[in-house]
Amino acid sequence: LRGHVVVVGVGTVGIEVVEELVAAGRGVVVIDRAEAGRHFAKARALGVPVVGGDPTEFALLDADNLAGATQVAVVTSDDLVN
């Protein structure tokens, strides 16, 4: 992918971001620390690749072509942290 958005965190807020991006026709890749989060199936059903792993690992970011992304959204389910 090139020109995509990398969404880090696919909790309650993250899946809403993913849904909005997909509805807008954007390419999306999701990275989440959990190996099988509760919203993974929903993201995959939208055609979004989901990668479980540590988003601070450069190898993981390279594999998801972070350099080719136009945006990165790092979200949590905590509004104060976001």
Side-chain angles (χ1 to χ4, degrees):
L1 274 172
R2 291 198 65 71
H4 59 295
V5 179
V6 175
V7 177
V8 180
V10 70
T12 304
V13 175
I15 195 64
E16 289 182 24
V17 171
V18 169
E19 289 171 328
E20 291 293 326
L21 290 167
V22 169
R26 299 296 308 269
V28 180
V29 174
V30 166
I31 302 173
D32 196 284
R33 285 186 184 277
E35 293 298 320
R38 66 182 176 149
H39 296 294
F40 278 25
K42 190 172 190 177
R44 288 187 176 116
L46 293 169
V48 174
V50 179
V51 179
D54 184 348
T56 64
E57 293 292 328
F58 290 117
L60 180 65
L61 298 173
D62 285 342
D64 293 319
N65 193 20
L66 180 64
T70 57
Q71 297 170 314
V72 176
V74 181
V75 295
T76 73
S77 292
D78 184 337
D79 286 340
L80 293 176
V81 174
N82 287 327

